[in-house]
Structure formats: C-alpha cells, structure tokens
Amino acid sequence: MLIRNLIIFLLLSGPLSANELFDKGYKAAQDKNFSEAILHFEALVSIEPANSSALFNLGNAYFAEKKYGKAILNFEKAHKLQPGDDEIQLAITNTYAALGRSDNWDSAYTFLESTFFRIGSFTWSILALFFSLFSAFLLFILIARVKRIVIPFKVPLLFFSLFLIVLFSYAASKAVIYSEDNRFAIVTSEKIPILKNEFGEMSDRTLNEGERVEIIKELDSYLLVLNSTGEEVLVLSTDVERIQTF
C-alpha cells in the first residue's frame, strides 16, 4: 500500500495532465497491464474523484486483477455519478457473480434521489430562480392590474409557479445532499471481522468481500453499520471504504 501510494504521488507530482493519466491507464489496460492501469486511474481519481469514466475503468482493472471488492467500490462510485448507466450496473452484477453471489444487486439510492442528482443542483437552482422571477412578474401584474398584458388564468398560474419554486428548491437541496452523501461503504478485503464491542474484541463472525454496508454511527475508530441482512454490527473504520465522489 505504501509503495502504491508513493507511485501515485510521483505520478501526480509529474507533468501528466488528467487526460494523459486517463490515456496511459486505458492503454495499459488494453495491453493487459492492469496493475499499471490501476496506478494511473487511481492517480486520476485522486484529483478528479467525480470522473465516472476513470472510476469505471479503474473498476474494470481491479476486476481483471480479481480484486473484486475494490472493483465493486469503484463501480458503485461510477454508478452514483451515472445512475442510469446500464453498463455500470451490469459490471456490478457480474462482479458479484464472480464472487459467487447470485443475489440481485439494487442501487443504494432511490430512483427519485438519483434523478435529482442526475439533473444537478445547478440546473434545479436555475429553474427555481426562473420561476421566482416569473412569479414576481405575475404578482406585479395582479397588484398593478396592468390590463395591456393579457395572461389567462393568472392566479392559478401564480400558485403553480410558486409550487414549482418549492419543488425545484427542494430538488436542488436533495441533489447537494446526494452528491455529498457518504453513508455507504464497501468491504474491499476478502473478509473483515465483526467486533463484539467498542474495545476491539473480535467475534468469530465476518463480513465478506464486496458487501455494501450503511454507516449508522461513527465511534472513534469503529463504525456501527447496517449489513446486507439489515443487522447492526460493529466494524473497524479502516476495514471498509466509503462510496464517496468528492
């Protein structure tokens, strides 16, 4: 891990641009030099964590190296950024199949949350601003009774416009929350122990590679998480990696 981080640091401190890192990583993957591809894509996502193409290709490189937990982590990150991409969803399903798990994969987020994020907080904010101005215009017409400007159904249209302002403002806030959310994490090692208590006493139970958990509470160096069966368990915070793209 230390050597890998050092190589990534050297790549970042060099003259390579983001495009050059991607091209080198992609070429290395084409040449089946997946360990080199991983280094270049890791360097790229460290400076552009929301680069879905780099994350997807990084996931593919980890998959080729049979590091399935790492592959799922990066596929999940790419899916969060591109929730409607069928190729990413298929990659996650295939990775779970490679781990011997045939259970159906479901997104961690609802369709509505994904839709809010896909459109983006900036777009939602612009829409809210537009209808705010439109509502102010309608209100001015109603108060001033400007007869030369004919707009049918002024009052219902005003209320509908106000409703859209609230809706778009809510969508913008949800898009920001979604983008910054880091509740979910992936087990990237083959197995990690489930702890009995906060003193670090280990049980004989484990979580398996690729399992997605939802973080309920952070307790110093421990995390209380919800596992795939809905059970709350305690794990070391260093044993899971968060699905975050910022």
Side-chain angles (χ1 to χ4, degrees), residues 16-235:
L16 293 179
S17 66
N19 287 338
E20 288 172 326
L21 285 170
F22 184 90
D23 290 342
K24 284 184 174 294
Y26 189 79
K27 184 180 184 306
Q30 292 292 100
D31 294 339
K32 300 190 183 305
N33 189 349
F34 298 110
S35 57
E36 183 182 333
I38 287 170
L39 289 173
H40 283 97
F41 285 128
E42 285 279 16
L44 175 51
V45 298
S46 68
I47 57 174
E48 292 186 0
N51 188 324
S52 59
S53 295
L55 289 165
F56 180 68
N57 281 279
L58 179 57
N60 283 329
Y62 273 123
F63 182 90
E65 291 280 277
K66 297 185 178 181
K67 296 178 180 178
Y68 299 125
K70 287 279 192 180
I72 289 171
L73 172 68
N74 288 284
F75 287 145
E76 284 273 16
K77 289 180 179 181
H79 165 72
K80 184 179 178 183
L81 295 164
Q82 300 288 339
D85 193 314
D86 293 335
E87 190 176 2
I88 296 172
Q89 296 179 34
L90 180 62
I92 298 173
T93 301
N94 289 340
T95 309
Y96 277 118
L99 283 168
R101 291 174 53 180
S102 58
D103 49 319
N104 293 326
W105 171 85
D106 291 314
S107 174
Y109 298 95
T110 65
F111 173 78
L112 199 58
E113 288 174 318
S114 299
T115 301
F116 287 150
F117 179 72
R118 190 183 301 128
I119 294 174
S121 59
F122 178 76
T123 302
W124 289 120
S125 299
I126 292 297
L127 287 170
L129 177 62
F130 171 80
F131 281 99
S132 296
L133 296 173
F134 183 63
S135 298
F137 174 66
L138 287 175
L139 194 60
F140 169 76
I141 292 173
L142 287 169
I143 294 173
R145 297 182 182 276
V146 181
K147 295 183 179 180
R148 65 176 178 274
I149 301 177
V150 180
I151 299 179
F153 312 112
K154 294 185 185 71
V155 174
L157 194 59
L158 175 60
F159 280 105
F160 181 66
S161 181
L162 292 172
F163 167 75
L164 290 179
I165 293 169
V166 173
L167 176 64
F168 294 149
S169 298
Y170 172 77
S173 65
K174 289 294 288 184
V176 172
I177 292 169
Y178 178 92
S179 65
E180 295 179 350
D181 180 68
N182 63 354
R183 286 175 296 145
F184 298 98
I186 299 293
V187 178
T188 54
S189 304
E190 187 176 350
K191 289 183 185 297
I192 65 167
I194 293 175
L195 306 177
K196 289 183 179 179
N197 50 49
E198 296 175 31
F199 301 106
E201 188 179 354
M202 296 184 184
S203 70
D204 56 357
R205 301 171 60 207
T206 60
L207 293 179
N208 295 322
E209 184 177 13
E211 182 161 357
R212 185 179 67 208
V213 297
E214 182 177 357
I215 298 167
I216 306 299
K217 187 186 294 184
E218 297 189 39
L219 307 161
D220 295 327
S221 57
Y222 308 105
L223 296 173
L224 182 65
V225 303
L226 205 64
N227 67 10
S228 57
T229 62
E231 179 188 4
E232 291 187 4
V233 295
L234 197 66
V235 298

